[in-house]
Amino acid sequence: MKLQLIRNATLKLEYAGRIVLIDPYLAPKHSLPSFTGRSPNPMVELPLGTEDILEGVELVIVSHLHDDHFDSVAIQRVPKHLPLFCQPGDEVTIRKAGFTNVTPLTESAVWEGLTLTRREGSHGLGPVVELMGSVMGFSLEAADEPSIYWAGDTVFYPPVENTIRKAKPDIIITHSCGARWDGDLIVMDAAETVAVCDAAPDAIIIATHMEALDHATISRQDLRQAADEKGIAASRLLIPADGETVVVGKS
């Protein structure tokens, strides 16, 4: 498996001979409104050009329709014929945008030897969930590849912990910037990412969705410091920079 963090939640994944693009957020730096008044979003540029990001992509996965996961630039630039998986309910909007091969991931699906399984997520806890709306995570499996659990825009709560303990993924991808909405935590922070590491002692955790949006409260350095204080090795918790590629083989 070869995973390239593009920016925020956007990943380009080479897996079982296929190239998958996850949650494309392609807007130029400072082209979208602020969430908190601190800075226009995104706060950083893409690390490479849109053509390079889209080169070779065969499958697109969109976890939900927030602008920092599927923005107007992505809607314009991602080829409309590509197969696209989304959470149930989002397919209508995505089809209206011109995409012609959209499949809601209700439970599990198989595409070209890749098995995708929808996983529960909660974009915060309490009343903020109604504001944030529904989200999904997913698991990805294929022959001769490490199993992946992409948690998505979720806090660490019992369904996430249950997925980790039951599925026993080789790789867990977290969103770990500690984003807050009106003070409520809406994705994992450093403490919750450390809790994921504790729940999955045999997995590699890859922390993403960092240092791109102005409602984030945790930097990469903050997360590394928290992990170091808990004795979590850098080889177990990877915190890639934008544009960085991570390669993991099947154990």
Side-chain angles (χ1 to χ4, degrees):
M1 179 218 75
K2 181 186 290 186
L3 176 154
Q4 184 178 27
L5 171 61
I6 305 301
R7 182 186 61 189
N8 203 48
T10 307
L11 303 179
K12 190 172 184 179
L13 183 65
E14 296 184 28
Y15 192 77
R18 301 295 177 182
I19 300 180
V20 182
L21 183 65
I22 301 170
D23 278 11
Y25 177 42
L26 305 179
K29 180 181 178 180
H30 290 169
S31 64
L32 295 172
S34 167
F35 293 134
T36 65
R38 182 160 67 98
S39 169
N41 288 306
M43 297 196 302
V44 294
E45 276 291 7
L46 290 167
L48 62 163
T50 301
E51 289 186 4
D52 293 327
I53 294 168
L54 295 176
E55 183 178 2
V57 170
E58 299 169 276
L59 175 68
V60 181
I61 302 173
V62 173
S63 65
H64 63 299
L65 296 181
H66 285 175
D67 281 349
D68 63 310
H69 293 260
F70 192 51
D71 66 345
S72 61
V73 179
I75 289 170
Q76 292 171 0
R77 298 295 302 273
V78 173
K80 299 295 193 293
H81 70 278
L82 289 176
L84 187 153
F85 284 98
C86 64
Q87 67 174 341
D90 288 351
E91 68 273 16
V92 174
T93 299
I94 295 171
R95 287 170 182 154
K96 284 182 178 178
F99 291 86
T100 59
N101 190 359
V102 183
T103 303
L105 186 61
T106 54
E107 292 183 0
S108 292
V110 177
W111 177 84
E112 298 293 338
L114 278 58
T115 300
L116 293 92
T117 303
R118 184 184 174 203
R119 301 299 187 185
E120 289 187 54
S122 187
H123 210 341
L125 295 173
V128 74
V129 174
E130 185 174 350
L131 292 173
M132 293 297 103
S134 63
V135 296
M136 74 169 185
F138 62 87
S139 293
L140 189 60
E141 297 173 286
D144 301 319
E145 289 281 9
S147 59
I148 298 172
Y149 169 37
W150 186 92
D153 265 11
T154 186
V155 294
F156 184 70
Y157 75 132
V160 170
E161 185 171 11
N162 290 340
T163 293
I164 291 170
R165 297 195 186 283
K166 291 179 180 179
K168 294 181 171 56
D170 298 310
I171 298 167
I172 302 170
I173 300 169
T174 61
H175 293 175
S176 297
C177 70
R180 290 183 176 271
W181 195 267
D182 291 335
D184 291 315
L185 188 69
I186 56 173
V187 301
M188 295 182 201
D189 59 9
E192 293 196 350
T193 305
V194 167
V196 170
C197 296
D198 290 341
D202 298 323
I204 293 173
I205 288 70
I206 304 175
T208 67
H209 202 303
M210 305 198 76
E211 298 180 357
L213 302 171
D214 77 325
H215 62 340
T217 64
I218 301 297
S219 68
R220 290 178 170 96
Q221 183 177 354
D222 294 335
L223 179 56
R224 178 58 69 202
Q225 181 177 342
D228 289 346
E229 290 173 355
K230 295 296 184 178
I232 298 169
S235 58
R236 280 202 57 226
L237 173 60
L238 309 181
I239 312 173
D242 292 349
E244 185 176 345
T245 296
V246 173
V247 179
V248 179
K250 186 175 177 62
S251 59

